[in-house]
Amino acid sequence: CANGINAKYVSKKISKTRWRPVSSSSLQQPDIFATGSWDNEDNSISIWSIGENGVSSMDDEFEGDPQLLCEYKHNGDVLDLQFLDQDRIVTASSTGAVTIFRHHHNSQTLSVSKLWERAHHYPCNNAPCTGVVCNSPEIVTVGEDGRIMLFRADQEGVLRTIEKADSSAIHAVTFLRTTEILTVNSIGQLKLWDFRQPGNEPSQILSLTGDRVPLHCVDRHPNQQHIVATGGQDGMLCIWDVRQGNMPISLMEAHTSEMWEVHFHPSNPGHLFSCSEDGSLLHWETSSNTDTPSFLQGGRNTSIISRSAIAPAGGNQSLINAWLTGDSSKGHLETTHMLPSQMLSVNSLDVLGQCLVCGTDGEAIYVNRHVPI
């Protein structure tokens, strides 16, 4: 249990980990999370607790050890997983299916509440559904077939299909605003889509110049919808401002292999987390000696310990802009390795409050309940 991290070995490769949301009014820390597996003979979706369930207070050493509450067989690899609300979880499958599972808290069981079997498909066979994002009751999915699908949890059919949204595979999706989404694809492009607009054309396209490096993940800054972070095949962390030009503002060398997920901390966006095929999970923190937040310096930096960043001239800037470029007094961007070094891929992470959970190809789930936020 190094550095307050609990490791749970689960005999399945873990593809996705997500905290169940806590009500924003409560100050409680999250205590329930869901996981999905991949590349196993039988895949499953599982619900875990790090609360007091089934743990006697005498066993201090097991405090915080994840306890399995329930699981359910999942057809295909779980390629994405999101909580729709406290009770429902949406999964994206390698079979192209989109499923809503209901977690019954009283009986601690899972059941299938809705299934769109071939949401993503090629003419003759299935296409993996690669990403899902929820804004209840709306659910948006993307796939290798280049389609964007919009569902409502309370309706049977499909609300909207953007049929040929992409000629290449779409790897991930996030909401920018209630009517706008952003997708990333296998040729290094970010595309903005406005559901108020008819037709199959994006409202904006941004891309990395030169190399068409596949992008695997995207996350939006929780307070400033125009700032997004992406990661891809080259392990670089890119920060974009969708209002400014069509290139990233900052490029940082983060990982030595594919970056699978990137997440801003939902309530402290000066903190960002990324995980990779290289077996590492990084905590990025903008810090400064003054009260002024640090701005990320553009260009490429190679130092792993801390990367130089720059604070804005005005002292009244909020931490929100800490990921953007400025040009006066120096500050710092620090990175911390959150896991003991290991060889196998860290496929997924989620952070909420002071709690971090991640899952690996080493068939392990790691939980840290004391993230320094």
Side-chain angles (χ1 to χ4, degrees):
C1 187
N3 312 328
I5 294 176
N6 290 75
K8 180 85 172 180
Y9 293 92
V10 295
S11 314
K12 281 186 166 73
K13 291 182 182 177
I14 299 297
S15 55
K16 291 290 157 182
T17 56
R18 300 285 179 255
W19 290 111
R20 186 177 76 185
V22 292
S23 66
S24 49
S25 57
S26 81
L27 294 169
Q28 76 192 69
Q29 293 295 320
D31 60 349
I32 303 280
F33 65 90
T35 61
S37 73
W38 83 290
D39 197 27
N40 304 288
E41 263 183 49
D42 289 312
N43 289 300
S44 60
I45 167 178
S46 308
I47 308 286
W48 305 81
S49 168
I50 56 165
E52 305 313 306
N53 302 41
V55 183
S56 75
S57 53
M58 293 167 69
D59 287 342
D60 277 350
E61 59 179 311
F62 294 117
E63 190 199 355
D65 203 31
Q67 306 290 314
L68 180 64
L69 297 180
C70 52
E71 61 185 343
Y72 200 96
K73 187 179 184 318
H74 189 272
N75 291 328
D77 296 337
V78 178
L79 297 187
D80 204 359
L81 180 156
Q82 302 290 345
F83 275 89
L84 181 67
D85 52 30
Q86 294 273 322
D87 312 301
R88 291 176 297 175
I89 299 154
V90 186
T91 63
S93 174
S94 57
T95 66
V98 176
T99 311
I100 304 180
F101 292 90
R102 184 176 287 277
H103 176 210
H104 306 273
H105 302 242
N106 294 340
S107 58
Q108 288 305 346
T109 55
L110 280 162
S111 64
V112 173
S113 115
K114 215 173 224 72
L115 169 65
W116 291 280
E117 201 145 9
R118 293 187 77 225
H120 293 272
H121 56 88
Y122 297 117
C124 298
N125 55 6
N126 297 341
C129 176
T130 53
V132 58
V133 66
C134 304
N135 184 13
S136 187
E138 295 190 336
I139 299 165
V140 176
T141 67
V142 294
E144 277 187 19
D145 55 357
R147 276 189 186 85
I148 298 172
M149 311 290 286
L150 174 62
F151 303 96
R152 274 181 69 105
D154 49 12
Q155 291 179 18
E156 293 301 324
V158 180
L159 212 59
R160 170 100 187 258
T161 304
I162 302 181
E163 192 65 44
K164 294 187 172 69
D166 219 304
S167 54
S168 47
I170 306 176
H171 285 161
V173 59
T174 187
F175 272 104
L176 282 186
R177 297 177 183 79
T178 48
T179 58
E180 279 184 298
I181 59 164
L182 191 146
T183 59
V184 295
N185 69 13
S186 59
I187 56 169
Q189 293 175 318
L190 283 74
K191 296 184 181 182
L192 272 72
W193 305 86
D194 189 336
F195 282 129
R196 293 166 302 189
Q197 303 298 323
N200 293 343
E201 295 302 316
S203 54
Q204 195 178 340
I205 299 178
L206 301 90
S207 64
L208 291 162
T209 50
D211 316 333
R212 294 189 152 195
V213 178
L215 292 171
H216 292 303
C217 53
V218 59
D219 194 33
R220 185 204 82 194
H221 191 291
N223 306 338
Q224 294 243 326
Q225 286 91 337
H226 54 91
I227 299 175
V228 294
T230 63
Q233 189 169 297
D234 58 1
M236 298 285 283
L237 172 64
C238 298
I239 307 292
W240 311 69
D241 183 339
V242 298
R243 303 171 312 180
Q244 292 184 18
N246 58 356
M247 285 161 53
I249 293 166
S250 301
L251 281 160
M252 286 147 289
E253 291 183 9
H255 298 279
T256 56
S257 203
E258 292 93 343
M259 186 191 298
W260 293 128
E261 285 193 11
V262 61
H263 293 284
F264 284 102
H265 189 284
S267 51
N268 290 288
H271 298 260
L272 180 141
F273 298 82
S274 61
C275 64
S276 168
E277 181 71 27
D278 67 10
S280 68
L281 194 159
L282 290 179
H283 173 191
W284 303 72
E285 185 178 355
T286 56
S287 64
S288 172
N289 300 331
T290 65
D291 291 338
T292 331
S294 49
F295 268 32
L296 215 60
Q297 195 168 11
R300 295 178 175 231
N301 288 319
T302 52
S303 144
I304 276 289
I305 307 310
S306 79
R307 297 178 170 73
S308 174
I310 301 233
N316 57 357
Q317 291 277 35
S318 67
L319 191 62
I320 286 162
N321 295 319
W323 298 100
L324 298 183
T325 312
D327 55 9
S328 79
S329 64
K330 291 246 170 172
H332 277 96
L333 173 72
E334 291 172 5
T335 58
T336 312
H337 283 268
M338 296 292 287
L339 290 179
S341 69
Q342 41 154 27
M343 299 304 292
L344 293 166
S345 176
V346 182
N347 296 321
S348 183
L349 75 97
D350 197 22
V351 62
L352 190 57
Q354 283 189 291
C355 297
L356 174 82
V357 62
C358 68
T360 75
D361 272 355
E363 304 190 339
I365 299 165
Y366 294 95
V367 176
N368 184 337
R369 303 170 80 179
H370 307 287
V371 176
I373 297 293

